[in-house]
């Protein structure tokens, strides 16, 4: 008797509640019904705001995709892309009255409400429109709010009323075709796969427009419970569910029984080892593209104000400056010089295009690849862009001393510089800094010959004569903008540290240390290449730019903001220094490597070797290419580099030099790049 009373009361209240869902005002129904109506009317429809997350695509300069970045693997899906078989399958199994109902199925809602009044669990009565509301809230509006997502899934009367009211409003303002396409675009499958377009690719490797009947039925069956009907984890359940969809299509007249029975005889037909979902990281790019891809995404934080989340959900197309031919040649050169799996040794190469208004980054490669598998020579650090060489570029830094001396008029290319085998340069107090030349040199030596052969005492003497502040400032102006902001460990300064090497940026720490010109401090390989680009651009510095353009999901261009180019040094100073650097490949420290590679082109060059050969470098350029090549110890137990082959760590007694180990990849890469010029 009590159950009968509850059911009768439930019928009254349930009917009024359905009416309240359908309209904000209901007349009559008694006091209890009035309270129910008031409660239902006070529950506002959910705000379905925000763009559906889409995958961002990163391409090279020719528009060829090199990587994808996404939070949800989803491909754009327009209404006209949905094949009739998929529409019929999803409507047959999920909502047969979709085209005639108005957002909700009143009889299903009433049935669920009666069950709730009767004390049983709340039941679903969800139409496709209601499912769209629920999925949109979970996967779009509240995707970064787990607590809100839990409420969106909660099996409560309040949530169901809000969902129903939202569905009615959506049906009132939106065409059925748009509701169906939106549902098929937002619904979740397994393995980070969202939407029918991505599912078609992930499960079958086919465009959504080309789905056949069996494939469409399988996808339509999965949306009810993607975990239970996962064709990889539960193939039999998925097959049974697919066949159930085919039977439903027969019941609705979408297909006849003979077609359904024929389709049931086919296997699942999904891709092996799927779902086939692309990697959502630049580590999934080709081995020669990962570092530039990652640098481009980081660059866009500042240049376009895009956060990581926006990049992963915005559906952008990022056309980078990566030149595939240049990048391929550079990658082949460094891999040939140092094997990708060589323990403890990295070889980076950055190539930048000089210019008066832009310095485009054409290649950023290393024998390492971007990734997490160290056994395969992968690294999670962008060792080309970041201040990653902890030991420095050696005598390459003599470029900054020479540039400062030329600018201040302290020396010209033909000026004789004192160059004793050993010299002690006074520091503050009674201390002095002792320097030795590594080899026999004339004393004095001209600046131009010094740049080619790289004696130490001549340049430390010139540095002290010019003044440390001018030399350090020159390093930053020519291109080491980020490098000079890091501390002597290549990290952000730790102002709380009592160790000046950790507390101060290099621009401050080296103000009283003549060793700066010998290049014994951390450096960014990319910024070193940009130093060459600055000189080759008549003294114009521009930021190393990895992005040609960005368009949003609608094809609209995204405005990019970047630091303006600057005249770092006068054209006269830049051209004079270029002349001074022109002898290295013919008569200097890289001449032997140039001859071995058959190099006959004009250009600039400067080698560098740290004191214990833990790092060697070559900076050069010719024509439209400014380049840095660095080889350095990158393992947990760094040591002396030995020239090999192969280049390796050891105690060889005749360590590697910039001219013998870092310069050869430059000549090999540029020979290939310039083969037809």
């Amino acid at each position: 008797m009590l159950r009968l009373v509850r059911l009768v009361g439930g019928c009254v209240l349930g009917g009024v509640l359905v009416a309240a869902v359908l309209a904000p005002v209901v007349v009559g129904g008694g006091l209890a019904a009035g309270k129910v109506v008031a409660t239902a009317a006070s529950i506002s429809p959910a705000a379905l705001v925000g763009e559906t997350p889409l995958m961002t695509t990163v391409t090279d300069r020719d528009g060829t995709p090199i990587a994808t970045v996404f939070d949800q693997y989803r491909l754009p899906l327009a209404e006209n892309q949905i094949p009739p078989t998929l529409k019929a399958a999803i409507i047959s199994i999920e909502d047969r009255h979709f085209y005639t109902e108005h957002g909700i199925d009143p009889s299903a809602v009433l049935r669920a409400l009666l069950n709730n009044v009767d004390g049983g669990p709340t039941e679903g009565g969800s139409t496709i429109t209601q499912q769209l509301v629920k999925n949109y809230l979970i996967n779009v509006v509240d995707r970064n709010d787990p607590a809100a997502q839990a409420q969106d899934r909660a099996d409560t009367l309040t949530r169901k009323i809000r969902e129903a009211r939202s569905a009615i409003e959506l049906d009132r303002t939106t065409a059925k075709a748009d509701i169906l396409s939106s549902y098929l675009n937002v619904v979740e499958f397994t393995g980070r796969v969202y939407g029918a377009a991505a599912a078609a690719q992930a499960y079958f490797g086919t465009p959504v427009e080309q789905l056949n009947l069996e494939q469409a039925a399988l996808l339509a069956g999965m949306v009810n419970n993607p975990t239970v009907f996962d064709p990889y984890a539960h193939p039999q359940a998925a097959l049974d569910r697919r066949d159930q969809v085919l039977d439903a299509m027969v019941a609705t007249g979408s297909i006849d029984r003979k077609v359904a029975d024929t389709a049931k005889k086919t296997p699942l037909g999904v891709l092996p080892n799927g779902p086939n979902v692309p990697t959502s990281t630049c580590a999934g790019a080709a081995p020669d593209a990962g570092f530039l891809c990652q640098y481009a995404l980081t660059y866009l934080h500042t240049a376009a104000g895009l956060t990581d989340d926006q990049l992963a959900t915005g559906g952008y197309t990022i056309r980078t400056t990566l030149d595939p031919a240049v990048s391929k040649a550079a990658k082949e050169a460094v891999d040939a010089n140092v094997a990708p799996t060589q323990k403890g040794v990295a070889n980076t190469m950055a190539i930048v295009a000089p210019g008066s208004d832009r310095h485009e980054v054409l290649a950023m490669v290393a024998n390492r690849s971007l990734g997490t598998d160290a056994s395969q020579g992968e690294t999670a650090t962008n060792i080309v862009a970041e201040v990653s060489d902890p030991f420095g570029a050696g005598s390459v830094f003599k470029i900054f001393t020479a540039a400062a001396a030329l600018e201040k008029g302290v020396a010209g290319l033909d000026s004789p510089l004192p160059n004793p085998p050993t010299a002690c340069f006074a520091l503050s107090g009674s201390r002095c800094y002792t320097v030795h030349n590594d080899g026999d040199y004339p004393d004095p030596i001209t600046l131009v010959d010094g740049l080619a052969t790289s004696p130490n005492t001549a340049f430390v003497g010139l540095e002290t004569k010019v003044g440390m502040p001018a030399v350090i400032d020159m390093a930053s102006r020519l291109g080491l903008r980020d490098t000079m902001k890091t501390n002597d460990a290549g990290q952000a300064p730790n102002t709380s540290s009592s160790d000046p090497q950790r507390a101060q940026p290099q621009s401050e720490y080296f103000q009283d240390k003549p060793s700066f010109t010998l290049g014994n401090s951390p450096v960014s390989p990319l910024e070193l290449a940009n130093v060459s680009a600055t000189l080759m651009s008549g003294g114009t510095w521009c930021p190393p730019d990895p992005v040609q353009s960005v368009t949003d999901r609608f094809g609209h261009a995204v405005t990019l903001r970047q630091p303006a180019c600057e005249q770092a040094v006068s054209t006269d100073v830049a051209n004079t220094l270029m002349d001074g650097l022109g002898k290295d490949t013919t008569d200097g420290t890289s001449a032997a490597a140039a001859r071995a590679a058959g190099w006959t082109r004009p250009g600039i060059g400067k080698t560098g070797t740290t004191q214990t050969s833990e790092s060697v470098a070559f900076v050069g350029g010719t024509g439209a290419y400014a380049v840095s090549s660095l080889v350095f110890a990158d393992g947990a137990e760094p040591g002396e580099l030995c020239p090999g082959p192969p280049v390796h760590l050891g105690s060889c007694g005749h360590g590697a030099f910039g001219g013998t180990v870092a310069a050869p990849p430059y000549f090999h890469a540029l020979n290939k790049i310039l083969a037809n010029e």
Side-chain angles (χ1 to χ4, degrees):
M1 183 67 180
L2 177 60
R3 185 173 185 274
L4 178 61
V5 171
R6 290 172 62 188
L7 283 175
V8 171
C11 287
V12 175
L13 294 179
V16 174
L17 188 54
V18 170
V21 169
L22 291 170
V25 178
V26 176
V27 179
L31 178 61
K35 290 182 179 180
V36 173
V37 170
T39 300
S42 69
I43 300 175
S44 302
L48 303 183
V49 296
E51 296 286 357
T52 306
L54 286 183
M55 179 177 70
T56 287
T57 301
V58 185
T59 78
D60 64 20
R61 69 190 300 112
D62 298 329
T64 302
I66 57 175
T68 54
V69 182
F70 57 86
D71 178 57
Q72 300 174 359
Y73 176 47
R74 177 184 285 106
L75 302 176
L77 178 64
E79 193 277 331
N80 60 7
Q81 292 179 282
I82 305 172
T85 51
L86 181 57
K87 293 179 183 179
I90 200 72
I91 289 171
S92 296
I93 195 65
E94 290 294 322
D95 187 2
R96 297 183 185 185
H97 305 295
F98 172 70
Y99 286 111
T100 58
E101 69 205 9
H102 296 288
I104 66 170
D105 180 350
S107 61
V109 173
L110 182 58
R111 185 171 60 252
L113 293 173
L114 286 174
N115 189 66
N116 186 58
V117 169
D118 193 33
T122 55
E123 292 183 358
S126 295
T127 63
I128 284 177
T129 310
Q130 287 174 274
Q131 292 180 49
L132 169 58
V133 171
K134 182 178 181 180
N135 277 275
Y136 205 91
L137 289 172
I138 293 170
N139 298 331
V140 182
V141 179
D142 299 324
R143 64 183 179 81
N144 291 324
D145 188 341
Q149 287 181 321
Q151 292 180 358
D152 298 334
R153 295 185 176 97
D155 199 14
T156 64
L157 203 56
T158 299
R159 195 270 297 171
K160 289 183 179 294
I161 293 172
R162 177 175 286 110
E163 181 182 283
R165 296 202 65 191
S166 302
I168 293 169
E169 180 65 18
L170 191 62
D171 183 82
R172 187 180 67 82
T173 59
T174 309
K176 290 288 188 180
D178 291 335
I179 290 174
L180 184 59
S181 63
S182 295
Y183 172 68
L184 288 172
N185 195 41
V186 77
V187 70
E188 179 180 358
F189 291 85
T190 54
R192 300 178 70 188
V193 179
Y194 293 77
Q201 290 288 353
Y203 294 101
F204 305 112
T206 187
V208 66
E209 305 96 312
Q210 298 176 18
L211 287 172
N212 62 31
L213 173 62
E214 304 90 81
Q215 293 168 338
L218 178 63
L219 295 185
M222 287 181 66
V223 300
N224 178 267
N225 195 322
T227 302
V228 170
F229 301 124
D230 180 348
Y232 295 102
H234 308 289
Q236 188 58 52
L239 189 65
D240 293 343
R241 178 64 173 174
R242 184 202 67 178
D243 293 350
Q244 184 182 1
V245 174
L246 293 169
D247 289 338
M249 295 178 74
V250 172
T252 59
S254 300
I255 58 175
D256 60 34
R257 173 53 61 188
K258 183 177 180 180
V259 170
D261 289 344
T262 299
K264 285 183 178 182
K265 295 176 182 178
T266 63
L268 285 173
V270 293
L271 296 172
N273 305 314
N276 186 12
V277 180
T279 303
S280 175
T281 172
C282 289
D288 68 321
F291 295 118
L292 195 151
C293 171
Q294 188 183 68
Y295 175 59
L297 296 182
T298 303
Y299 179 87
L300 288 173
H301 292 168
T302 301
L306 295 174
T307 64
D308 285 337
D309 184 70
Q310 288 173 315
L311 289 169
T313 61
Y316 296 99
T317 298
I318 302 168
R319 186 183 288 258
T320 71
T321 56
L322 185 147
D323 185 314
V326 172
S327 189
K328 182 174 183 289
K331 176 62 174 170
E332 290 174 352
V334 296
D335 282 357
N337 193 51
V338 183
T341 55
Q342 181 64 49
K343 184 177 180 180
V345 184
N347 187 173
T348 65
M349 183 176 288
I351 303 180
V352 178
S356 59
D357 58 354
R358 290 191 75 193
H359 288 178
E360 291 191 348
V361 183
L362 305 180
M364 292 173 59
V365 302
N367 65 317
R368 308 303 192 200
S369 295
L370 188 66
T372 58
D373 189 349
S375 68
Q376 296 301 309
E378 295 180 348
T379 174
T381 301
N382 193 330
I383 59 174
V384 188
E386 296 179 22
V387 183
S388 57
D389 182 345
F391 306 108
S395 293
V396 167
F397 274 37
K398 291 170 183 174
I399 290 174
F400 309 127
T401 299
L406 290 170
E407 183 176 69
K408 296 188 73 171
V410 173
L413 291 183
D414 296 325
S415 298
L417 306 177
N419 188 38
T422 301
C424 190
F425 298 93
L427 301 175
S428 59
S430 58
R431 298 177 302 135
C432 78
Y433 177 61
T434 302
V435 182
H436 307 277
N437 282 335
D438 187 8
D440 297 325
Y441 296 89
D443 180 17
I445 190 171
T446 63
L447 178 57
V448 66
D449 288 340
L451 285 168
T453 58
S454 210
N456 293 331
T457 60
F459 276 93
V460 174
L462 183 61
E463 180 185 43
T464 57
K465 189 175 181 180
V466 172
M468 291 300 306
V471 174
I472 290 172
D473 179 60
M474 183 61 70
S476 180
R477 284 160 55 194
L478 288 181
L480 301 190
R481 305 290 172 108
D482 290 336
T483 293
M484 299 307 293
K485 294 175 184 176
T486 65
N487 62 20
D488 199 38
Q491 303 167 347
N494 180 6
T495 55
S496 62
S497 174
S498 59
D499 183 354
Q501 287 182 283
R502 300 295 182 263
Q504 296 177 335
Q506 294 188 49
S507 58
E508 295 178 13
Y509 177 72
F510 281 101
Q511 287 290 333
D512 60 351
K513 296 175 179 61
S515 62
F516 180 76
T517 197
L518 303 182
N520 61 349
S521 56
V523 68
S524 160
L526 176 61
E527 288 197 321
L528 268 186
N530 204 37
V531 168
S532 286
T534 298
L535 296 176
M536 296 169 69
S537 304
T540 300
W541 172 88
C542 299
D545 188 347
V547 177
Q548 282 194 333
S549 66
V550 179
T551 53
D552 64 19
R553 66 176 67 206
F554 306 109
H556 302 146
V558 175
T559 300
L560 301 179
R561 302 175 301 275
Q562 60 182 5
C565 297
E566 303 171 4
Q567 193 68 38
V569 294
S570 69
T571 301
D572 287 344
V573 169
N575 290 343
T576 300
L577 187 51
M578 289 267 290
D579 289 341
L581 294 170
K583 293 182 64 176
D584 195 273
T585 62
T586 57
D587 302 304
T589 52
S590 64
R595 288 192 295 271
W599 180 262
T600 58
R601 299 175 185 271
I604 63 171
K606 183 73 191 79
T607 65
T609 305
T610 58
Q611 185 172 358
T612 54
S613 293
E614 291 170 317
S615 175
V616 295
F618 179 81
V619 169
T622 186
Y625 306 100
V627 186
S628 76
S629 171
L630 282 80
V631 182
F632 56 93
D634 72 339
E637 299 180 1
E640 180 183 37
L641 297 175
C642 297
V647 179
H648 62 282
L649 298 181
S651 299
C652 43
H654 51 87
F657 292 93
T660 60
V661 170
Y666 166 83
F667 296 121
H668 293 161
L670 269 294
N671 270 337
K672 188 163 188 177
I673 293 167
L674 298 170
N676 297 321
E677 296 184 22

